[in-house]
Amino acid sequence: DGRHGAYSAALAMLHTGQGAPMITIEKALRADPGFVSGHCLRAALLVMTCRDDARLELARTLDAAQAHIHRADERGRRHLEAASAWLDYDLKRALQLYGDIVADHPHDTLALRVAHFGDLQWSRTERLRDRVAAVLPHWHQGMEGYTHVLGMYAFGLAEAGEYELAEQVGRRALELDRDNAGAIHAVAHVLEMQGRVEEGIAWLTTTAPNWTRSAGYAPHLWWHLALFHLDLSNTDAALRI
């Protein structure tokens, strides 16, 4: 139905960093305030802002969801519990709860995205890789969300220092979805860490039509491009960026 279409669209926007996922899911919630999955997604978006000024909105979202908790399934209740832990400043428990959802529901890319984000914030390098690796056997090409899982895996591999495999996975993700800014980012990390500066500049320049549309990734990838120029002592180019 329309609610789940809006949910899928907002989730894709979250993964790609494009569009307006918050606005999209809020429209669905206005149409159906009892759409608990929509509240879960909105809560996750607020959690990933990692900002104290999002706490009031998060509390409102959780309260709104609680009013319709009888419509929630087991997974929805667990999402709300995880977001509530973050609201209570229990960040370690929030990450554990989102991770537990992923372990039990490997196709839940919302929980995976939040857990992946949390692993990065906590500098859990091995978990950043291994959490995604654990769900990959449950995925295959053609499934909705598969390329986003590949992009997360590529980044986890890069952060774990497995540069060759990270590049392979990242490039594979882009073969399937050229707008996968997360995969573009993962390959950029590999090129930076291996000192392949000219390749890095070429990589981000040729893929720019894809990643510059991503409000979520573009500022960070511009920064990566500036770093490549600094590696070549091209300070004027870096400052222009």
Side-chain angles (χ1 to χ4, degrees):
D1 59 22
R3 297 173 312 161
H4 291 95
Y7 180 93
S8 294
L11 183 58
M13 292 174 189
L14 165 62
H15 288 315
T16 62
Q18 299 188 26
M22 185 66 80
I23 292 173
T24 301
I25 202 61
E26 285 176 348
K27 287 181 180 178
L29 287 169
R30 282 195 295 272
D32 179 7
F35 181 31
V36 178
S37 293
H39 289 297
C40 293
L41 196 155
R42 188 173 191 269
L45 290 170
L46 292 166
V47 165
M48 284 185 286
T49 65
C50 242
R51 290 167 46 174
D52 265 355
D53 59 5
R55 291 173 54 76
L56 180 59
E57 279 304 308
L58 178 56
R60 288 173 177 167
T61 292
L62 294 173
D63 285 344
Q66 196 63 39
H68 302 276
I69 198 67
H70 60 282
R71 292 177 56 179
D73 59 13
E74 173 261 352
R75 183 161 31 138
R77 291 171 185 266
R78 292 172 68 179
H79 266 273
L80 297 173
E81 183 184 3
S84 295
W86 185 89
L87 185 64
D88 292 338
Y89 290 108
D90 195 344
L91 307 183
K92 186 175 182 179
R93 181 167 178 266
L95 176 56
Q96 180 66 48
L97 290 171
Y98 276 116
D100 288 345
I101 296 171
V102 175
D104 293 337
H105 302 276
H107 294 138
D108 189 329
T109 60
L110 178 60
L112 180 62
R113 177 63 67 178
V114 183
H116 191 65
F117 170 83
D119 288 332
L120 178 62
Q121 299 303 310
W122 281 71
S123 300
R124 293 179 172 178
T125 305
E126 291 186 358
R127 292 296 294 151
L128 198 66
R129 173 198 62 199
D130 294 346
R131 191 189 301 281
V132 188
V135 306
L136 269 178
H138 300 274
W139 288 84
H140 59 76
Q141 184 177 335
M143 295 177 66
E144 183 179 356
Y146 175 63
T147 60
H148 303 310
V149 176
L150 282 185
M152 283 186 268
Y153 185 45
F155 182 68
L157 288 166
E159 288 291 286
E162 295 186 44
Y163 301 128
E164 184 176 348
L165 184 55
E167 183 173 359
Q168 291 174 7
V169 174
R171 290 183 182 275
R172 176 58 180 156
L174 284 170
E175 288 175 5
L176 299 173
D177 177 13
R178 66 180 183 177
D179 290 331
N180 192 324
I184 294 171
H185 176 226
V187 174
H189 261 262
V190 171
L191 299 176
E192 172 69 28
M193 295 306 294
Q194 291 186 329
R196 295 156 63 187
V197 180
E198 291 85 356
E199 286 183 70
I201 292 173
W203 173 251
L204 290 179
T205 301
T206 56
T207 58
N210 309 104
W211 59 260
T212 50
R213 295 199 301 270
S214 173
Y217 281 97
H220 187 66
L221 287 172
W222 278 117
W223 175 78
H224 270 287
L225 185 56
L227 286 183
F228 284 127
H229 283 295
L230 284 177
D231 286 339
L232 294 178
S233 298
N234 293 337
T235 51
D236 288 344
L239 288 172
R240 280 196 298 273
I241 292 173

